[in-house]
């Protein structure tokens, strides 16, 4: 079965954004005594500063989403640290975006602790680009979105791309894999070709929640999980949920990810504000907590907090 590219189903989700009020009721937001959360997939953008070619005019995403908006969206949820995730800006603005988030990470007035910046591993000057940030304690990795219409299947297996991803490993930086679910076999091959680079699979490998038969995704995800140099973010999937979704619509995907990668190789990601096309941040957190509530408390803490601290080398937060 052909899976929709994530960007395509995000466009479809825009049409249903007005239906947020009709979403099923979810649990009340946790109190400050709840499990601490490290959000490993925090987006921010100021359209006065940056150009995001993928954001269409008229989309609910076509406005500024800045730090104060994130703080309001996560209020009361005990988000103690975040890892900024690049937002696919115009490539000419990649350095400016990185410098912008480094400045935010330096400031003591917010929870942003680290960042994954945009980059183009196949470019000839990629090593020079990386070395620009050498020594920064805040830059933890790089991502290039691979599911866009302009990026063909198999692009990540080009020799120049592989060379660039190997350069990341040499610099103790990770690479976030964000690609179409049907290209998970390519992800496995890339991981094999770069044994010294840490990989983070975004959005559970981008399955479409509305698709009933996930057999191919399950098989391909299991193949990726066999590679020990990769962890998986439990993030992003709510964006492809049906108009009237419930936690159980997401549960089969989440459970398969947790069972396949195991408790030590999974991390929570908010994917805010993209998640707001179908859910508030609090609704996504509440649904995920409902799905995992029967798992041991230690495993829940690893998912929401501990694994992120270890994988990204963050300072231990004060709960």
């Amino acid at each position: 079965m052909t899976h929709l590219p994530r960007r395509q189903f995000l466009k479809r989700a825009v049409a249903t954004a007005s239906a947020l009020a009709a979403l099923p009721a979810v649990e009340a937001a946790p109190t400050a005594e709840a499990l601490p959360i490290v959000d490993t997939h925090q987006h921010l953008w100021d359209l006065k500063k940056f150009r995001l070619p993928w954001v269409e005019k008229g989309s609910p995403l076509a406005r500024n989403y800045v730090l104060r908006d994130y703080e309001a969206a996560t209020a009361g949820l005990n988000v103690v640290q975040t890892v900024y995730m690049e937002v696919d800006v115009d490539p000419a603005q990649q350095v400016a975006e990185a410098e912008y988030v480094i400045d935010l990470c330096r400031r003591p007035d917010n929870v942003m602790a680290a960042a994954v910046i945009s980059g183009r591993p196949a470019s000839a000057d990629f090593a020079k680009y990386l070395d620009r940030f050498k020594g920064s304690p805040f830059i933890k990795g790089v991502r290039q979105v691979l599911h866009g219409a302009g990026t063909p299947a198999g692009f990540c297996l080009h020799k120049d791309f592989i060379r660039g991803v190997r350069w990341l490993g040499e610099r103790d930086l990770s690479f976030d894999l964000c690609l179409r679910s049907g290209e998970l076999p390519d992800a496995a091959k890339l991981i094999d070709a770069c044994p010294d680079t840490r990989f983070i699979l975004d959005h559970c490998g981008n399955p479409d929640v509305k698709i009933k038969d996930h057999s191919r995704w399950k098989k391909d995800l299991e193949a990726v999980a066999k590679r020990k140099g990769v962890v998986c973010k439990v993030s992003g999937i709510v964006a492809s949920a049906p108009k009237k979704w419930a936690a159980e619509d997401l549960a089969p995907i989440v459970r398969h990810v947790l069972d396949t990668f195991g408790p030590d190789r999974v991390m929570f990601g908010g994917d805010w504000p993209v998640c707001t096309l179908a859910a508030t941040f609090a609704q996504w957190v509440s649904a995920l907590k409902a799905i995992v509530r029967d798992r041991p408390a230690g495993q829940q803490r690893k998912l929401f907090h501990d694994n992120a601290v270890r994988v990204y080398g963050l300072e231990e937060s004060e709960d």
Side-chain angles (χ1 to χ4, degrees):
M1 182 175 293
T2 301
H3 289 190
L4 292 174
R6 184 169 188 261
R7 194 164 290 171
Q8 184 176 342
F9 69 64
L10 287 180
K11 289 180 180 178
R12 291 189 178 183
V14 169
T16 68
S18 61
L20 271 175
L23 285 173
V26 293
E27 300 171 5
T31 67
E33 299 176 355
L35 201 62
I37 293 175
V38 176
D39 181 1
T40 65
H41 211 91
Q42 175 204 26
H43 295 306
L44 300 172
W45 57 75
D46 184 342
L47 298 182
K48 294 179 181 178
K49 295 179 182 290
F50 300 109
R51 297 182 297 275
L52 278 61
W54 59 274
V55 175
E56 295 185 340
K57 186 177 180 180
S59 162
L61 299 180
R63 69 170 183 84
N64 294 342
Y65 287 90
V66 294
L67 202 53
R68 64 178 177 271
D69 301 314
Y70 179 82
E71 290 168 347
T74 60
L77 295 172
N78 204 19
V79 175
V80 295
Q81 295 191 80
T82 69
V83 178
Y84 173 86
M85 174 54 62
E86 65 90 22
V87 295
D88 205 12
V89 298
D90 183 320
Q93 295 184 315
Q94 288 176 347
V95 171
E97 180 194 21
E99 292 176 344
Y100 169 70
V101 298
I102 287 172
D103 179 65
L104 287 175
C105 290
R106 286 194 182 112
R107 287 164 40 181
D109 62 348
N110 67 82
V111 294
M112 189 185 294
V116 173
I117 60 174
S118 180
R120 297 295 181 267
S123 65
D125 61 351
F126 185 58
K128 182 179 178 181
Y129 171 77
L130 294 178
D131 290 343
R132 185 185 188 106
F133 308 105
K134 185 178 180 180
S136 172
F138 306 115
I139 302 303
K140 303 298 184 179
V142 167
R143 182 177 79 159
Q144 176 178 354
V145 174
L146 297 172
H147 56 64
T151 305
F155 178 76
C156 69
L157 298 179
H158 189 279
K159 62 181 179 60
D160 290 342
F161 194 96
I162 292 172
R163 176 199 62 201
V165 175
R166 287 174 176 169
W167 282 340
L168 287 169
E170 293 172 4
R171 290 159 175 79
D172 196 28
L173 297 171
S174 62
F175 184 72
D176 268 62
L177 285 160
C178 193
L179 71 179
R180 306 168 187 93
S181 62
E183 293 162 28
L184 285 172
D186 290 348
K189 293 176 184 176
L190 177 63
I191 294 166
D192 287 343
C194 306
D196 297 322
T197 302
R198 298 187 310 277
F199 289 87
I200 298 165
L201 181 64
D202 291 354
H203 307 327
C204 303
N206 278 325
D208 187 338
V209 174
K210 293 186 293 294
I211 292 176
K212 299 299 183 183
D213 182 6
H214 286 113
S215 55
R216 178 184 174 185
W217 166 79
K218 287 182 176 181
K219 179 181 177 181
D220 291 344
L221 188 82
E222 289 164 6
V224 171
K226 288 179 181 178
R227 279 75 183 170
K228 299 305 181 185
V230 59
V231 300
C232 187
K233 284 184 186 175
V234 181
S235 62
I237 57 173
V238 74
S240 69
K243 185 185 298 185
K244 295 182 179 180
W245 64 273
E248 276 306 306
D249 294 309
L250 312 177
I253 291 172
V254 172
R255 289 170 182 149
H256 187 69
V257 168
L258 299 183
D259 293 342
T260 301
F261 278 87
D264 296 316
R265 293 197 294 147
V266 289
M267 303 186 296
F268 165 78
D271 198 27
W272 182 94
V274 177
C275 70
T276 64
L277 295 173
T280 66
F281 190 102
Q283 287 170 330
W284 163 226
V285 168
S286 203
L288 182 55
K289 287 191 172 187
I291 294 168
V292 303
R293 67 158 53 101
D294 293 335
R295 295 184 182 247
Q299 292 187 16
Q300 294 183 45
R301 185 181 171 96
K302 286 181 178 182
L303 169 65
F304 282 101
H305 180 273
D306 292 359
N307 290 344
V309 171
R310 172 177 51 82
V311 170
Y312 285 113
L314 307 178
E315 292 184 6
E316 288 287 346
S317 55
E318 295 182 6
D319 298 359

